[in-house]
Every structure is written in C-alpha cells, then in structure tokens.
Amino acid sequence: MSVSKDDALSALHDIESAKRRSQTLFGYGLASPHLLLWGTLWIVAGLVGALSPANTGIGWCAVDVVGVLGSGWLVARHSRRCGERGERVRLFRYVGSVAVLAAFVTLTLMVFAPASGDQVLMLFTLVVAAGHTIAGCWLGLRYAALGVALAGLAVGVFVLAPAYLSLIVPFAGGGVSIVAGLWMRRA
Amino acid sequence: MSAPDEIVHQSTRLKIMSALNALPRREMLEFVRLKAITGATDGNLGSHLTTLEKTGYVTVVKDFVGKRPRTRVRITTPGRRAFQTHVAYLRDILEGEGAGA
C-alpha cells in the first residue's frame, strides 16, 4: 500500500476534523449534567424567593452550596474514570475555579455594593451568560447559544418588566439551562 | 520511517480512530456520537467497528440504560499506538520522506 502526498494531506485533515468534533461532543456530554443541576437549583432559588421573599438571600446561598458540592461530585465521578493522575488534576482545577469565583463574588459585592437584590441577580446572570458565551467561542457553539439566550432573557426582562425580574429570571434562566443541558446530552 | 496501517487508513476507520484517540484514557464514545462524527450509516459504522474490534484496536461495550440499549466504543492501548504510528507515517509523507504514489 502506498499513500500519496494528497492522500496524506486529506487524511490528516479528516483526522483533525474528527478530533475536534469528538472533543466538542465529549465536552457537551460532560457539561450536560452540570447544566441540568444548576438549572434546577436556579429554579429552586426562584421558588424560595417567590414564596418567602425575606429568605431570598439564604435560598441563593443554600443552592450555591448544593451546586458547588454537586458539581464537585460530578467532576470527581468523571475523574475516577480517567485514572489517578486525571483525578487529582481535575479536582485541583475544580477547587481552584470555585475559589476564584468565590473571591470574585465577594470582592465584586464589596466594591460595587449593589443597592438591590435585582442588581445582584442581573450581575451574576450576565457574568454566567458571558462565561457560557466565551466558552462557546472556544469549545462549541451550543455554549454560546446558551450564553446569548441567558443574556438576552435577563436584559429583556430588565428593560421590559423590571418589577418582575426576581420572579422571571430564576425560572426562565433555570429553564433555559435545563433545555441547554438536554440539548447537549443529545448532541 | 513508519509503515502505513491498512486497517487504520480506510477513511471511516481513520475518523473513528481519530475521534476515539481524542478522548481521555478509559473514556468511551457512544455509537450515536461516533455516527455523527463519521457521517456513516448504522450498518457501515457497525461493520468498521467490527473490523477494528477484531484487530484489537477498539473495544465495543453494549449495555442498557433503563430499557434503552446503548453501544459505546473505547480505543485500546494497541489501537492508540497504531493510530499514532499511522499519523506519524502520514506526517512523514508530507515532510517529503514518504514514497508518494
């Protein structure tokens, strides 16, 4: 069997293309349970806020803790399948990411001192949306679609129905995240 | 210079091996995702997977999720080695060391 330069070039192109597609689909599969988890928690936080407005802050803190632990469990579960070295590296990355986010949240709230819960909700919704959209630029367009949908939704409600922001955004944002999670699972 | 691997070089099998090689060790790719990546039909993909499995380059795992059957594929260590050797061969050809046809 002999292979010409054109054949070799074409084969290497196919290899690169299949590799990229495989990594994107694999990434969607990994992201899906996280989106389903956080989408559900977002809705739970919205329910707490709707039923007991005085406990909105506690509700968000509680779902954040559950979400961080749940995502940590998902990362650990996946890491176990990748072997010991992969487990340590992934857990280290996860813990590092959570620490950075916690510091970011604390410092942002301290510096900007938002006057209302709606401002806090908008800030974090837009940060999450931006994170998804940036991920979409590098890892797969479905993340970007989710980010744009979240941002569009939040800004739309902020402009058109600001009085209902704290009611609509958690439910709609959670719903969009769940739909995106199912979409990625089926990719 | 390394030699071509006729099993790996076939177009669909090359895509299968590339897709599987891109995953972390021990990870598996579902049949439906592999189908989307290669653009092959069910029968065609199944046939190529059988060839790769007989050669020992991939492992096919069949199970059920609830009542739904699921087929997943994983690249083996010899399969990963064969794929990487073949890619090195292709690169050698482009760098002018190959015996082009």
Side-chain angles (χ1 to χ4, degrees):
Chain A
M1 176 180 151
S2 68
V3 179
S4 69
K5 279 198 173 189
D6 285 346
D7 286 342
L9 192 61
S10 170
L12 286 170
H13 179 267
D14 283 351
I15 286 169
E16 195 53 40
S17 172
K19 176 185 164 188
R20 269 201 311 272
R21 186 100 178 99
S22 174
Q23 287 173 334
T24 299
L25 293 182
F26 182 71
Y28 286 157
L30 286 185
S32 167
H34 292 275
L35 290 172
L36 294 173
L37 170 70
W38 283 98
T40 306
L41 289 173
W42 216 348
I43 290 173
V44 169
L47 269 176
V48 171
L51 297 173
S52 174
N55 291 317
T56 301
I58 294 172
W60 279 103
C61 287
V63 299
D64 285 343
V65 170
V66 172
V68 166
L69 293 175
S71 277
W73 178 76
L74 288 170
V75 170
R77 189 184 65 160
H78 171 252
S79 299
R80 273 196 296 274
R81 294 205 304 260
C82 296
E84 288 176 14
R85 186 172 171 276
E87 183 172 6
R88 281 197 300 270
V89 170
R90 279 165 203 275
L91 280 176
F92 176 76
R93 284 177 179 163
Y94 180 72
V95 171
S97 304
V98 170
V100 169
L101 275 175
F104 173 77
V105 167
T106 307
L107 294 173
T108 302
L109 292 179
M110 191 181 81
V111 171
F112 290 97
S116 72
D118 285 357
Q119 287 177 320
V120 176
L121 182 60
M122 275 303 286
L123 172 68
F124 291 121
T125 303
L126 292 176
V127 167
V128 169
H132 285 310
T133 311
I134 290 169
C137 295
W138 295 91
L139 304 172
L141 287 177
R142 293 189 189 199
Y143 300 104
L146 169 61
V148 169
L150 277 178
L153 180 97
V155 173
V157 176
F158 183 77
V159 171
L160 300 173
Y164 301 100
L165 191 85
S166 61
L167 281 177
I168 297 176
V169 169
F171 291 107
V176 166
S177 297
I178 289 172
V179 169
L182 293 173
W183 187 31
M184 289 189 192
R185 191 162 73 175
R186 287 164 191 265
Chain B
M1 180 178 155
S2 47
D5 186 319
E6 293 191 31
I7 298 290
V8 175
H9 189 68
Q10 194 280 335
S11 174
T12 303
R13 290 197 290 266
L14 192 64
K15 288 178 190 169
I16 294 171
M17 294 298 281
S18 175
L20 295 174
N21 185 62
L23 301 182
R25 200 165 58 94
R26 296 188 205 172
E27 280 295 345
M28 292 188 266
L29 203 56
E30 287 199 30
F31 187 90
V32 284
R33 287 200 166 124
L34 211 41
K35 200 175 127 187
I37 293 167
T38 58
T41 62
D42 283 2
N44 196 12
L45 181 57
S47 159
H48 286 301
L49 285 176
T50 303
T51 303
L52 290 169
E53 192 179 24
K54 280 181 181 167
T55 319
Y57 287 173
V58 303
T59 305
V60 178
V61 178
K62 295 184 180 186
D63 58 4
F64 285 85
V65 179
K67 289 182 178 175
R68 197 167 58 91
R70 177 175 65 170
T71 301
R72 291 178 296 166
V73 188
R74 176 171 52 205
I75 193 167
T76 61
T77 303
R80 212 177 273 277
R81 201 177 302 130
F83 175 75
Q84 286 163 357
T85 304
H86 189 69
V87 170
Y89 168 78
L90 295 173
R91 291 207 173 113
D92 281 350
I93 289 175
L94 286 185
E95 287 164 10
E97 296 173 26

